[in-house]
């Protein structure tokens, strides 16, 4: 620019721009970005040009932007009974600084995998990463389904071993209990897996039964209990050709003591 001696700079001083930085004015001394400056060496529109040399140099002074807004997209849709938490939903970062204050959101049944530049795929952004964006942007949370260990209680009190030695399975939230084993046990019929422990032949709450097709909607470790009923056997009485009247068929339950029906006219069973 050309300025007359002993006149002000006026509107000849332009305002430059530099992505990621804030222009801090013109100075007669050169300063590094963000350095402390001597305000007596600042030149503005009202400054009188009094340099006697033919030429002079003015230097732009810059500071990094400290107001870059990052919007945080939790990228989750909560189903009935689920909760999603995220606080705060925006942060402010400094150009070429670090992100530092990225929060950790939560979502029932899911594991947070980090913040990414895209809702699917993209580049992961960590707290320690250098801020290289020069304007506002959005980061997106990524998730994976949580897995849990389900303990399997065969509920047989070690009396008669069941056919399976499997004592636990791994399930995935919102998937099914597809790996539940079917058990067998001598003298008993397997009645399924329940979230509550029941005795043999007890009355059960069907709402507490877990099938292979049941959806995993509990976000915690849990125990399932095998339910058993006694096998039922029928005893048929045969006179074996003696021409006597025999009792009607009698039903017995496995492992349950029960007297035989008395013969007609007999005083003992």
């Amino acid at each position: 620019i050309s300025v007359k001696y002993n006149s002000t700079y006026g509107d000849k001083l332009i305002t430059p721009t530099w992505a990621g930085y804030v222009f801090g004015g013109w100075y007669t001394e050169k300063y590094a970005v963000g350095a402390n400056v001597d305000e007596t060496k600042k030149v503005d529109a009202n400054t009188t040009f009094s340099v006697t040399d033919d030429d002079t140099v003015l230097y732009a002074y810059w500071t990094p932007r400290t107001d870059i807004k990052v919007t945080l997209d939790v990228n989750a849709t909560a189903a009935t009974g689920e909760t999603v938490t995220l606080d705060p939903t925006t942060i402010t970062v400094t150009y070429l600084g670090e992100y530092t204050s990225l929060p950790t959101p939560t979502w029932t049944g899911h594991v947070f995998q980090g913040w990414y530049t895209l809702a699917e795929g993209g580049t992961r952004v960590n707290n320690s990463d250098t801020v290289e964006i020069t304007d506002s942007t959005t980061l997106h949370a990524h998730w994976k389904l949580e897995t849990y260990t389900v303990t399997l209680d065969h509920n047989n009190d070690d009396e008669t071993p069941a056919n399976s030695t499997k004592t636990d399975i791994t399930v995935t939230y919102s998937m099914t209990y597809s790996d539940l084993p079917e058990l067998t046990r001598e003298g008993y019929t397997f009645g399924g897996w329940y979230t509550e422990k029941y005795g043999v032949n007890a009355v059960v709450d069907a709402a507490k039964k877990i099938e292979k097709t049941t959806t995993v909607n509990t976000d915690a470790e849990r125990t399932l209990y095998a339910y058993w009923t006694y096998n039922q056997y029928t005893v048929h009485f045969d006179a074996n050709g003696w021409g006597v009247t025999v009792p009607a068929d009698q039903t017995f339950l496995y492992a349950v003591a029960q007297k035989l029906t008395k013969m007609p006219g007999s005083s003992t069973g």
Side-chain angles (χ1 to χ4, degrees), residues 40-64:
T40 65
K41 296 183 179 181
K42 187 172 185 179
V43 173
D44 59 27
N46 298 317
T47 302
T48 299
F49 181 72
S50 58
V51 179
T52 56
D53 294 336
D54 290 338
D55 298 311
T56 189
V57 177
L58 297 181
Y59 302 92
Y61 172 63
W62 303 94
T63 56

Side-chain angles (χ1 to χ4, degrees), residues 53-133:
D53 294 336
D54 290 338
D55 298 311
T56 189
V57 177
L58 297 181
Y59 302 92
Y61 172 63
W62 303 94
T63 56
R65 282 190 59 180
T66 60
D67 61 345
I68 301 175
K69 179 181 178 182
V70 178
T71 299
L72 302 173
D73 169 26
V74 75
N75 197 19
T77 301
T80 302
E82 295 180 355
T83 58
V84 176
T85 64
L86 172 61
D87 184 35
T89 56
T90 61
I91 61 172
T92 301
V93 295
T94 298
Y95 183 65
L96 296 184
E98 295 182 350
Y99 284 86
T100 66
S101 57
L102 287 170
T104 301
T106 63
W107 182 11
T108 304
H110 296 73
V111 179
F112 176 61
Q113 295 291 284
W115 293 105
Y116 285 78
T117 55
L118 298 175
E120 293 185 13
T123 302
R124 182 167 181 171
V125 176
N126 301 299
N127 276 319
S128 59
D129 287 348
T130 299
V131 177
E132 296 180 341
I133 55 172

Side-chain angles (χ1 to χ4, degrees), residues 177 193-198 205 207-210 218 222-225:
Y177 291 85
W193 295 99
Y194 286 78
T195 58
E196 186 171 319
K197 189 171 186 176
Y198 293 102
D205 181 352
K208 295 181 178 180
K209 187 173 185 178
I210 300 295
T218 301
R222 72 186 319 180
T223 298
L224 297 181
Y225 304 91

Side-chain angles (χ1 to χ4, degrees), residues 198-221:
Y198 293 102
V200 179
N201 273 39
V203 177
V204 298
D205 181 352
K208 295 181 178 180
K209 187 173 185 178
I210 300 295
E211 308 273 9
K212 286 189 174 186
T213 56
T214 302
T215 298
V216 179
N217 56 15
T218 301
D219 62 330
E221 311 287 296

